[in-house]
Amino acid sequence: MPPNTTATTGDTATTGATSVKSGRKKGRKARLIVLVLVLAIIGGIAYGAYWSISTVRASFPQTTGSIKLDGLSGPVDVKRDGYGIPQIYASSDEDLFMAQGYVQAQDRFYEMDVRRHMTAGRLSEMFGKSQVENDEFLRTLGWDRIAQQEYDSKLSDSTKKYLQAYAKGVNAYLQGKEGKDISLEYAALGFSNDYKPGEWTPVDSVSWLKAMAWDLRGNMQDEIDRALMTSRLGPQQIQDLYPAYPYSRNKPIVQDGRYDELTKVFQQGAGAGSTQSTAGGAGATQGTTGGTTGSSQGTTGTTGASTTTGTNPGLTSQLGGLYKVLDGLPTAVGVNGQGIGSNSWVVAGKNTITGKPLLANDPHLSASLPSVWYQMGLHCRTVSSKCQYDVTGYTFAGMPGVIIGHNARIAWGMTNSGVDVTDLYLEKVSANGYLYDGKIKPFKTREETIQVAGGKAKTIVVRQTQDGMPLLSDRDDELVQVGRKASVNSAAPDRGDGYGIALRWTALDPGTSMDAVFALDKAGGWNDFRAAAALFDVPSQNLIYASTDNHIGYTLPGKIPTRSAKDAGALPAPGWESKYRWTGFIKKDELPYEYDPDRGYIVTANQAVVDQAEYPYTLTTDWGYGTRSQRIADLIESKIKGGGKISTDDMRQMQLDNSSEIAKLLVPKLLKINLDDPEVRQAQKLLEGWDYTQDADSAAAAYFNAVWRNIVKLAFGNKLPKEVRVKGQCLWVDKIDSTGPVDDDTKVRECGQRDADQAQPDGGERWFEVVRTLMDKPDSDWWKTPRSGTRPAANNRDQLFARAMIDARWELTAKLGKDIDTWSWGRLHRLFLKNQTLGTEGPKVLQYILNRGPWKLSGGEATVNASGWNAAGGYNVVWVPSMRMVVNLADLDKSKWINLAGASGHAFNAHYTDQTGKWANGELLPWSFSGKAVDGSTSDTLVLEP
């Protein structure tokens, strides 16, 4: 049974922030005046004078008139609409991408500079000694080294030419400028160090793809968490917390089973072994017993890896230390791999009002300021062999091309596939190397020198296995000591000098993902699209497709490993046995796809790509559980079966769907529970007649989500090990030693170790499925929780639900007041946009200047309108639909889009957060594409001249 625990402190408190909203000119001018006065008071008259309004405005981009740029072969027009979104017109590819570099640098160079320093492990050069540990870890991963190898030996000549042109444009912008002329942040940094931004290089752009891949890397976090849980939970209990994917209820993406000839061979009974030289199918063959594939593989992995590497506090502490290192890294596009998702779907013309496809996409990523996305159009005045692009959409500042969007013939969207492309290995290390199949192999080593602003440089030694796996545990002194003390069972080699943890990850191999970006941008049809997707090594994304000639499709790209050991991939594997190493990669033409399915639509929302019982390779054992994807499919089906046709606005409304699937399951049970306290009963009545929608002004949604938070905390959170619980939550728990719990009733006080937005149980989709599977087991040990103060103990499901309703009532009383008429979900569920450097770590005054919010949001976890929050840490929003778009393939000028923030990265610029209010309200902006439409929406025109 789950270990007995008693809570001694509550959750960490959440704090508010000053609301700073962008507005009209008058409001902006007022804020600038306040800014100058505040800084003058704090720093003295001379300091305040330096921070004049002219200083704040110095970095704003020139958007009208003309600018001469050396290197252009002809004039380039940059047309911006009322939201500052640029559309670039040129007559050659090189001019187009050079102008893109110049324009992005105008709006976002500080962001670009921080990103390239992050990917290269050089943040200490900008921010000093506080970033040394991050740099050490990032240097160990070696993203920029891999990017350099890609540039030198993998990328096509045309891609290199475009990267060079882009870098030339960025450097043309930087030429002759001081830091304060580039960004307000540089002006602030100028008071603490003499940092000067250097020239941009093509490799700086390529490196950013590694950062994107890192935050979308698959199940590495689940791998760590499962291993950490072994210190408190047994195999069956861990299996309870990672239930089977519900194939019978939530359909996978690919339903017509198109995997080329591979499927035919597999279904004819040849089996996985005969269709591949690798053994990735071992898990799939083992799991072909119906709809429990994901669970059976995950369970096997849990049990197998536990018995191989041992359930021991040494390994647990080492993984906990590794998590601390991972958690300290700056996020690129996600929440360090946790909790993020996305929606995309495409509807065939036979089911739309226009008679042509409609395509929607809204990637769910960390909320940041500026937004991770940058909207723009790249247009050749005449498409020809000299100038091949006419594309618009979303890209990243610092990268040429467009990542998600459409050209004149096709549109595409992306969601994270979640396939397992990372494995952790416990390595037996010694003074001479590491053990591998009974022999000691020497590590490959290299030295890395980290320059530190205002401090001494630091040199580190990076160790890698012969097959290129970096030893992550070298980056933490505590991990080294733990590795020397780690206890393992008799199946493992003698401890000797200790154990380390190494990482195998597809993105540590040079690839061609940058080639894929340009190939997608100019793809003219399905075959071009599939060929472009095949170049997309990492991150592996679900790619959906629609075309103006009335076709829809889906393909899974990526470099996806195969494994021989049936339990590999679920937990850290024994590195001293070769059978746990990767054996190859799934062939590109054996990856799943669909084209024009009979049902007339395709939905991807992080659910299972395929039914693993019908596919011979194990893609992952850690899919999302399909809550959002099935809700989207149901909304589409209800419209079609009702005889209706789907419009662009229908697609927008689906993106805003706030329905809570877990509420539909739990509320009928909650309403049947008798409660004695009239004030708790009063809160319970909020749920009567509630339609399960989580609108910002809903009191019922506020109370239900508080009840849900307390259910998962009482049933699961208080029984998890400290390494995964939230900081500030301390419990008295059973003492454990190397053999497990001590049977003498000895209790020890343990406090959680994770940040609020990363802790477990996060209350997300997996926990929905955990609770669903336990609903028919009302006497399960999971439902038992001890008395705490005046709160009653619970011995079954309904008693725990009653306790959760009581706790929720008084939690919201403390947060929102005793009068339930004043409660609303939006008062709890708030979005704060923070500058990701000085806005989080800088002086309070700078945080005030750079950050914005709060906004009160609708939506929630595993809802189509997915404004994610972490139940272990509080109700504030931690990830969001980072953008929304709906592409109309019948008339591309009737497409719609919106960004989380704005085009500009300059605080107090009119376009810093000018889209956020509309985004929060679920509005979409017009998205001009044709020359006529762009001209009609243009507010400012800048001509770049040779």
Side-chain angles (χ1 to χ4, degrees), residues 174-201:
L174 294 177
Q175 188 173 5
K177 289 184 173 64
E178 297 181 16
K180 65 182 178 63
D181 299 322
I182 300 171
S183 172
L184 178 63
E185 289 91 334
Y186 289 123
L189 285 172
F191 290 113
S192 59
N193 64 56
D194 57 358
Y195 172 80
K196 304 294 183 189
E199 286 198 345
W200 192 264
T201 72

PDB file of all heavy atoms in Angstrom, residues 174-201:
ATOM      1  N   LEU A 174      23.464  45.506 -36.667  1.00  0.00           N
ATOM      2  CA  LEU A 174      24.318  45.769 -35.505  1.00  0.00           C
ATOM      3  C   LEU A 174      25.397  46.809 -35.789  1.00  0.00           C
ATOM      4  O   LEU A 174      25.880  47.461 -34.860  1.00  0.00           O
ATOM      5  CB  LEU A 174      24.987  44.467 -35.051  1.00  0.00           C
ATOM      6  CG  LEU A 174      24.094  43.373 -34.489  1.00  0.00           C
ATOM      7  CD1 LEU A 174      24.924  42.133 -34.171  1.00  0.00           C
ATOM      8  CD2 LEU A 174      23.354  43.851 -33.249  1.00  0.00           C
ATOM      9  N   GLN A 175      25.759  46.971 -37.029  1.00  0.00           N
ATOM     10  CA  GLN A 175      26.910  47.800 -37.389  1.00  0.00           C
ATOM     11  C   GLN A 175      26.783  49.232 -36.854  1.00  0.00           C
ATOM     12  O   GLN A 175      25.792  49.918 -37.101  1.00  0.00           O
ATOM     13  CB  GLN A 175      27.080  47.831 -38.905  1.00  0.00           C
ATOM     14  CG  GLN A 175      28.369  48.501 -39.358  1.00  0.00           C
ATOM     15  CD  GLN A 175      28.578  48.356 -40.856  1.00  0.00           C
ATOM     16  OE1 GLN A 175      27.717  47.840 -41.564  1.00  0.00           O
ATOM     17  NE2 GLN A 175      29.724  48.814 -41.359  1.00  0.00           N
ATOM     18  N   GLY A 176      27.767  49.637 -36.072  1.00  0.00           N
ATOM     19  CA  GLY A 176      27.835  51.000 -35.566  1.00  0.00           C
ATOM     20  C   GLY A 176      26.937  51.298 -34.387  1.00  0.00           C
ATOM     21  O   GLY A 176      26.884  52.447 -33.928  1.00  0.00           O
ATOM     22  N   LYS A 177      26.232  50.304 -33.854  1.00  0.00           N
ATOM     23  CA  LYS A 177      25.301  50.542 -32.742  1.00  0.00           C
ATOM     24  C   LYS A 177      25.919  50.177 -31.399  1.00  0.00           C
ATOM     25  O   LYS A 177      26.614  49.165 -31.275  1.00  0.00           O
ATOM     26  CB  LYS A 177      24.007  49.739 -32.941  1.00  0.00           C
ATOM     27  CG  LYS A 177      23.116  50.251 -34.054  1.00  0.00           C
ATOM     28  CD  LYS A 177      21.816  49.453 -34.108  1.00  0.00           C
ATOM     29  CE  LYS A 177      20.840  50.058 -35.107  1.00  0.00           C
ATOM     30  NZ  LYS A 177      21.345  49.998 -36.488  1.00  0.00           N
ATOM     31  N   GLU A 178      25.651  50.996 -30.397  1.00  0.00           N
ATOM     32  CA  GLU A 178      25.973  50.662 -29.015  1.00  0.00           C
ATOM     33  C   GLU A 178      24.825  49.836 -28.435  1.00  0.00           C
ATOM     34  O   GLU A 178      23.727  49.790 -28.989  1.00  0.00           O
ATOM     35  CB  GLU A 178      26.173  51.927 -28.189  1.00  0.00           C
ATOM     36  CG  GLU A 178      27.337  52.797 -28.651  1.00  0.00           C
ATOM     37  CD  GLU A 178      27.489  54.025 -27.778  1.00  0.00           C
ATOM     38  OE1 GLU A 178      26.903  54.040 -26.669  1.00  0.00           O
ATOM     39  OE2 GLU A 178      28.165  54.973 -28.208  1.00  0.00           O
ATOM     40  N   GLY A 179      25.089  49.206 -27.287  1.00  0.00           N
ATOM     41  CA  GLY A 179      24.084  48.355 -26.672  1.00  0.00           C
ATOM     42  C   GLY A 179      22.762  49.044 -26.437  1.00  0.00           C
ATOM     43  O   GLY A 179      21.691  48.506 -26.724  1.00  0.00           O
ATOM     44  N   LYS A 180      22.803  50.286 -25.950  1.00  0.00           N
ATOM     45  CA  LYS A 180      21.564  50.998 -25.631  1.00  0.00           C
ATOM     46  C   LYS A 180      20.764  51.330 -26.885  1.00  0.00           C
ATOM     47  O   LYS A 180      19.565  51.590 -26.819  1.00  0.00           O
ATOM     48  CB  LYS A 180      21.863  52.275 -24.843  1.00  0.00           C
ATOM     49  CG  LYS A 180      22.637  53.335 -25.596  1.00  0.00           C
ATOM     50  CD  LYS A 180      22.928  54.540 -24.711  1.00  0.00           C
ATOM     51  CE  LYS A 180      23.749  55.601 -25.432  1.00  0.00           C
ATOM     52  NZ  LYS A 180      23.045  56.173 -26.590  1.00  0.00           N
ATOM     53  N   ASP A 181      21.440  51.320 -28.047  1.00  0.00           N
ATOM     54  CA  ASP A 181      20.737  51.577 -29.306  1.00  0.00           C
ATOM     55  C   ASP A 181      20.043  50.313 -29.827  1.00  0.00           C
ATOM     56  O   ASP A 181      19.234  50.388 -30.754  1.00  0.00           O
ATOM     57  CB  ASP A 181      21.723  52.057 -30.381  1.00  0.00           C
ATOM     58  CG  ASP A 181      22.415  53.352 -29.977  1.00  0.00           C
ATOM     59  OD1 ASP A 181      21.744  54.211 -29.378  1.00  0.00           O
ATOM     60  OD2 ASP A 181      23.623  53.483 -30.260  1.00  0.00           O
ATOM     61  N   ILE A 182      20.364  49.187 -29.217  1.00  0.00           N
ATOM     62  CA  ILE A 182      19.815  47.907 -29.659  1.00  0.00           C
ATOM     63  C   ILE A 182      18.652  47.468 -28.790  1.00  0.00           C
ATOM     64  O   ILE A 182      17.646  46.964 -29.279  1.00  0.00           O
ATOM     65  CB  ILE A 182      20.919  46.821 -29.659  1.00  0.00           C
ATOM     66  CG1 ILE A 182      22.046  47.232 -30.611  1.00  0.00           C
ATOM     67  CG2 ILE A 182      20.362  45.458 -30.028  1.00  0.00           C
ATOM     68  CD1 ILE A 182      23.268  46.335 -30.514  1.00  0.00           C
ATOM     69  N   SER A 183      18.787  47.674 -27.472  1.00  0.00           N
ATOM     70  CA  SER A 183      17.741  47.204 -26.562  1.00  0.00           C
ATOM     71  C   SER A 183      17.874  47.879 -25.205  1.00  0.00           C
ATOM     72  O   SER A 183      18.983  48.177 -24.747  1.00  0.00           O
ATOM     73  CB  SER A 183      17.835  45.686 -26.384  1.00  0.00           C
ATOM     74  OG  SER A 183      16.959  45.232 -25.392  1.00  0.00           O
ATOM     75  N   LEU A 184      16.747  48.079 -24.552  1.00  0.00           N
ATOM     76  CA  LEU A 184      16.724  48.616 -23.199  1.00  0.00           C
ATOM     77  C   LEU A 184      17.491  47.710 -22.242  1.00  0.00           C
ATOM     78  O   LEU A 184      18.165  48.179 -21.315  1.00  0.00           O
ATOM     79  CB  LEU A 184      15.259  48.751 -22.733  1.00  0.00           C
ATOM     80  CG  LEU A 184      14.997  49.248 -21.319  1.00  0.00           C
ATOM     81  CD1 LEU A 184      15.511  50.663 -21.150  1.00  0.00           C
ATOM     82  CD2 LEU A 184      13.504  49.190 -21.014  1.00  0.00           C
ATOM     83  N   GLU A 185      17.418  46.394 -22.472  1.00  0.00           N
ATOM     84  CA  GLU A 185      18.113  45.454 -21.590  1.00  0.00           C
ATOM     85  C   GLU A 185      19.620  45.664 -21.625  1.00  0.00           C
ATOM     86  O   GLU A 185      20.293  45.546 -20.596  1.00  0.00           O
ATOM     87  CB  GLU A 185      17.779  44.009 -21.972  1.00  0.00           C
ATOM     88  CG  GLU A 185      16.368  43.579 -21.640  1.00  0.00           C
ATOM     89  CD  GLU A 185      15.390  43.807 -22.778  1.00  0.00           C
ATOM     90  OE1 GLU A 185      15.641  44.714 -23.612  1.00  0.00           O
ATOM     91  OE2 GLU A 185      14.376  43.094 -22.845  1.00  0.00           O
ATOM     92  N   TYR A 186      20.172  45.970 -22.791  1.00  0.00           N
ATOM     93  CA  TYR A 186      21.608  46.231 -22.870  1.00  0.00           C
ATOM     94  C   TYR A 186      21.969  47.494 -22.086  1.00  0.00           C
ATOM     95  O   TYR A 186      23.034  47.563 -21.465  1.00  0.00           O
ATOM     96  CB  TYR A 186      22.062  46.387 -24.319  1.00  0.00           C
ATOM     97  CG  TYR A 186      22.065  45.116 -25.109  1.00  0.00           C
ATOM     98  CD1 TYR A 186      21.331  45.011 -26.279  1.00  0.00           C
ATOM     99  CD2 TYR A 186      22.803  44.008 -24.695  1.00  0.00           C
ATOM    100  CE1 TYR A 186      21.332  43.839 -27.027  1.00  0.00           C
ATOM    101  CE2 TYR A 186      22.814  42.844 -25.422  1.00  0.00           C
ATOM    102  CZ  TYR A 186      22.067  42.759 -26.593  1.00  0.00           C
ATOM    103  OH  TYR A 186      22.070  41.604 -27.318  1.00  0.00           O
ATOM    104  N   ALA A 187      21.096  48.471 -22.133  1.00  0.00           N
ATOM    105  CA  ALA A 187      21.340  49.684 -21.350  1.00  0.00           C
ATOM    106  C   ALA A 187      21.404  49.345 -19.867  1.00  0.00           C
ATOM    107  O   ALA A 187      22.242  49.871 -19.128  1.00  0.00           O
ATOM    108  CB  ALA A 187      20.248  50.710 -21.623  1.00  0.00           C
ATOM    109  N   ALA A 188      20.523  48.426 -19.431  1.00  0.00           N
ATOM    110  CA  ALA A 188      20.540  48.009 -18.027  1.00  0.00           C
ATOM    111  C   ALA A 188      21.796  47.215 -17.710  1.00  0.00           C
ATOM    112  O   ALA A 188      22.442  47.424 -16.676  1.00  0.00           O
ATOM    113  CB  ALA A 188      19.297  47.173 -17.722  1.00  0.00           C
ATOM    114  N   LEU A 189      22.161  46.289 -18.595  1.00  0.00           N
ATOM    115  CA  LEU A 189      23.370  45.487 -18.371  1.00  0.00           C
ATOM    116  C   LEU A 189      24.620  46.345 -18.353  1.00  0.00           C
ATOM    117  O   LEU A 189      25.609  46.005 -17.710  1.00  0.00           O
ATOM    118  CB  LEU A 189      23.492  44.422 -19.458  1.00  0.00           C
ATOM    119  CG  LEU A 189      22.560  43.211 -19.364  1.00  0.00           C
ATOM    120  CD1 LEU A 189      22.666  42.368 -20.615  1.00  0.00           C
ATOM    121  CD2 LEU A 189      22.875  42.394 -18.134  1.00  0.00           C
ATOM    122  N   GLY A 190      24.569  47.469 -19.053  1.00  0.00           N
ATOM    123  CA  GLY A 190      25.735  48.337 -19.134  1.00  0.00           C
ATOM    124  C   GLY A 190      26.184  48.874 -17.795  1.00  0.00           C
ATOM    125  O   GLY A 190      27.339  49.274 -17.629  1.00  0.00           O
ATOM    126  N   PHE A 191      25.268  48.892 -16.797  1.00  0.00           N
ATOM    127  CA  PHE A 191      25.633  49.394 -15.479  1.00  0.00           C
ATOM    128  C   PHE A 191      26.401  48.353 -14.664  1.00  0.00           C
ATOM    129  O   PHE A 191      27.038  48.680 -13.687  1.00  0.00           O
ATOM    130  CB  PHE A 191      24.384  49.819 -14.707  1.00  0.00           C
ATOM    131  CG  PHE A 191      23.749  51.055 -15.280  1.00  0.00           C
ATOM    132  CD1 PHE A 191      22.502  50.992 -15.880  1.00  0.00           C
ATOM    133  CD2 PHE A 191      24.394  52.269 -15.220  1.00  0.00           C
ATOM    134  CE1 PHE A 191      21.912  52.119 -16.417  1.00  0.00           C
ATOM    135  CE2 PHE A 191      23.814  53.413 -15.765  1.00  0.00           C
ATOM    136  CZ  PHE A 191      22.570  53.340 -16.358  1.00  0.00           C
ATOM    137  N   SER A 192      26.304  47.069 -15.080  1.00  0.00           N
ATOM    138  CA  SER A 192      26.936  46.024 -14.287  1.00  0.00           C
ATOM    139  C   SER A 192      28.135  45.378 -14.962  1.00  0.00           C
ATOM    140  O   SER A 192      28.979  44.812 -14.298  1.00  0.00           O
ATOM    141  CB  SER A 192      25.900  44.933 -13.947  1.00  0.00           C
ATOM    142  OG  SER A 192      25.363  44.382 -15.144  1.00  0.00           O
ATOM    143  N   ASN A 193      28.207  45.424 -16.283  1.00  0.00           N
ATOM    144  CA  ASN A 193      29.381  44.881 -16.959  1.00  0.00           C
ATOM    145  C   ASN A 193      29.545  45.570 -18.310  1.00  0.00           C
ATOM    146  O   ASN A 193      28.701  46.358 -18.727  1.00  0.00           O
ATOM    147  CB  ASN A 193      29.270  43.355 -17.120  1.00  0.00           C
ATOM    148  CG  ASN A 193      28.115  42.949 -18.017  1.00  0.00           C
ATOM    149  OD1 ASN A 193      28.014  43.372 -19.161  1.00  0.00           O
ATOM    150  ND2 ASN A 193      27.231  42.097 -17.493  1.00  0.00           N
ATOM    151  N   ASP A 194      30.632  45.284 -18.959  1.00  0.00           N
ATOM    152  CA  ASP A 194      30.930  45.958 -20.227  1.00  0.00           C
ATOM    153  C   ASP A 194      30.630  45.057 -21.417  1.00  0.00           C
ATOM    154  O   ASP A 194      31.295  45.131 -22.448  1.00  0.00           O
ATOM    155  CB  ASP A 194      32.389  46.411 -20.250  1.00  0.00           C
ATOM    156  CG  ASP A 194      33.364  45.245 -20.038  1.00  0.00           C
ATOM    157  OD1 ASP A 194      32.887  44.106 -19.830  1.00  0.00           O
ATOM    158  OD2 ASP A 194      34.585  45.488 -20.079  1.00  0.00           O
ATOM    159  N   TYR A 195      29.629  44.218 -21.298  1.00  0.00           N
ATOM    160  CA  TYR A 195      29.282  43.292 -22.365  1.00  0.00           C
ATOM    161  C   TYR A 195      28.897  44.036 -23.647  1.00  0.00           C
ATOM    162  O   TYR A 195      28.142  45.010 -23.611  1.00  0.00           O
ATOM    163  CB  TYR A 195      28.122  42.389 -21.942  1.00  0.00           C
ATOM    164  CG  TYR A 195      27.593  41.554 -23.083  1.00  0.00           C
ATOM    165  CD1 TYR A 195      28.250  40.402 -23.479  1.00  0.00           C
ATOM    166  CD2 TYR A 195      26.451  41.944 -23.788  1.00  0.00           C
ATOM    167  CE1 TYR A 195      27.804  39.651 -24.545  1.00  0.00           C
ATOM    168  CE2 TYR A 195      25.991  41.196 -24.854  1.00  0.00           C
ATOM    169  CZ  TYR A 195      26.676  40.049 -25.235  1.00  0.00           C
ATOM    170  OH  TYR A 195      26.223  39.321 -26.290  1.00  0.00           O
ATOM    171  N   LYS A 196      29.408  43.561 -24.767  1.00  0.00           N
ATOM    172  CA  LYS A 196      29.057  44.092 -26.084  1.00  0.00           C
ATOM    173  C   LYS A 196      28.653  42.922 -26.971  1.00  0.00           C
ATOM    174  O   LYS A 196      29.381  41.926 -27.055  1.00  0.00           O
ATOM    175  CB  LYS A 196      30.245  44.818 -26.742  1.00  0.00           C
ATOM    176  CG  LYS A 196      30.830  45.953 -25.912  1.00  0.00           C
ATOM    177  CD  LYS A 196      29.865  47.098 -25.754  1.00  0.00           C
ATOM    178  CE  LYS A 196      30.519  48.244 -24.966  1.00  0.00           C
ATOM    179  NZ  LYS A 196      29.525  49.291 -24.609  1.00  0.00           N
ATOM    180  N   PRO A 197      27.513  42.991 -27.649  1.00  0.00           N
ATOM    181  CA  PRO A 197      27.105  41.881 -28.510  1.00  0.00           C
ATOM    182  C   PRO A 197      28.041  41.714 -29.698  1.00  0.00           C
ATOM    183  O   PRO A 197      28.468  42.688 -30.316  1.00  0.00           O
ATOM    184  CB  PRO A 197      25.691  42.276 -28.963  1.00  0.00           C
ATOM    185  CG  PRO A 197      25.611  43.745 -28.769  1.00  0.00           C
ATOM    186  CD  PRO A 197      26.506  44.071 -27.614  1.00  0.00           C
ATOM    187  N   GLY A 198      28.375  40.458 -29.993  1.00  0.00           N
ATOM    188  CA  GLY A 198      29.242  40.170 -31.121  1.00  0.00           C
ATOM    189  C   GLY A 198      28.462  39.916 -32.387  1.00  0.00           C
ATOM    190  O   GLY A 198      27.225  39.967 -32.410  1.00  0.00           O
ATOM    191  N   GLU A 199      29.165  39.634 -33.468  1.00  0.00           N
ATOM    192  CA  GLU A 199      28.520  39.388 -34.751  1.00  0.00           C
ATOM    193  C   GLU A 199      27.729  38.087 -34.723  1.00  0.00           C
ATOM    194  O   GLU A 199      28.068  37.143 -34.014  1.00  0.00           O
ATOM    195  CB  GLU A 199      29.560  39.329 -35.871  1.00  0.00           C
ATOM    196  CG  GLU A 199      30.129  40.675 -36.251  1.00  0.00           C
ATOM    197  CD  GLU A 199      30.809  40.630 -37.619  1.00  0.00           C
ATOM    198  OE1 GLU A 199      31.079  39.506 -38.111  1.00  0.00           O
ATOM    199  OE2 GLU A 199      31.051  41.706 -38.189  1.00  0.00           O
ATOM    200  N   TRP A 200      26.675  38.050 -35.529  1.00  0.00           N
ATOM    201  CA  TRP A 200      25.856  36.854 -35.680  1.00  0.00           C
ATOM    202  C   TRP A 200      26.530  35.915 -36.682  1.00  0.00           C
ATOM    203  O   TRP A 200      27.165  36.359 -37.638  1.00  0.00           O
ATOM    204  CB  TRP A 200      24.474  37.242 -36.191  1.00  0.00           C
ATOM    205  CG  TRP A 200      23.475  36.129 -36.109  1.00  0.00           C
ATOM    206  CD1 TRP A 200      23.113  35.265 -37.101  1.00  0.00           C
ATOM    207  CD2 TRP A 200      22.691  35.779 -34.968  1.00  0.00           C
ATOM    208  NE1 TRP A 200      22.153  34.385 -36.640  1.00  0.00           N
ATOM    209  CE2 TRP A 200      21.877  34.674 -35.338  1.00  0.00           C
ATOM    210  CE3 TRP A 200      22.596  36.270 -33.667  1.00  0.00           C
ATOM    211  CZ2 TRP A 200      20.972  34.066 -34.450  1.00  0.00           C
ATOM    212  CZ3 TRP A 200      21.714  35.672 -32.784  1.00  0.00           C
ATOM    213  CH2 TRP A 200      20.918  34.587 -33.173  1.00  0.00           C
ATOM    214  N   THR A 201      26.411  34.605 -36.439  1.00  0.00           N
ATOM    215  CA  THR A 201      26.972  33.617 -37.358  1.00  0.00           C
ATOM    216  C   THR A 201      25.874  32.665 -37.823  1.00  0.00           C
ATOM    217  O   THR A 201      24.848  32.502 -37.145  1.00  0.00           O
ATOM    218  CB  THR A 201      28.080  32.783 -36.686  1.00  0.00           C
ATOM    219  OG1 THR A 201      27.486  31.874 -35.742  1.00  0.00           O
ATOM    220  CG2 THR A 201      29.088  33.673 -35.973  1.00  0.00           C
TER     221      THR A 201
END
